[in-house]
Amino acid sequence: MTIRNIDDHLKTRLRIRAAAHGRSMEDEARDILRAALSTEEKRQPNLAETIRRRMAASGGVVLDIAPREPIRPVDLDP
C-alpha cells in the first residue's frame, strides 16, 4: 500500500513518534492503523433512543392518549 500526498508536518510527527517507539515509520503507521481499526465503531443513537434512555432514569413518562372522535362527513356540494 502506498499513501501519497502526506503533509510534511504529519510525516515529521510520524518519524518522531516512530523513533520514540524504536521502530520504523512503516511499523509505526501499521501500529496506528491497527489501534484505530481494532475498536468497534460507536453507533449513533437515534433521537427516540436518546429520549427513552434519559427518561428511564426518572421512571419514564406515561402519557394519556386523547380520546378520538369519528371523522365528520365532509359536504362537497355547496
Side-chain angles (χ1 to χ4, degrees), residues 1-74:
M1 173 172 53
T2 303
I3 302 174
R4 291 180 178 83
N5 301 323
I6 295 178
D7 181 85
D8 287 337
H9 180 68
L10 183 63
K11 191 174 180 180
T12 301
R13 289 181 58 200
L14 179 61
R15 182 178 293 118
I16 292 168
R17 182 173 164 159
H21 292 135
R23 53 185 163 205
S24 69
M25 288 176 55
E26 184 178 338
D27 283 341
E28 187 67 21
R30 194 177 297 119
D31 189 61
I32 292 168
L33 285 171
R34 187 179 305 111
L37 299 175
S38 67
T39 58
E40 190 75 22
E41 284 188 34
K42 291 184 178 181
R43 186 177 63 87
Q44 294 292 330
N46 64 32
L47 180 59
E49 289 174 4
T50 302
I51 293 170
R52 190 176 303 118
R53 212 174 328 111
R54 286 188 182 187
M55 296 307 294
S58 65
V61 173
V62 178
L63 300 175
D64 294 327
I65 298 176
R68 299 187 75 181
E69 298 176 6
I71 299 174
R72 293 178 290 207
V74 177

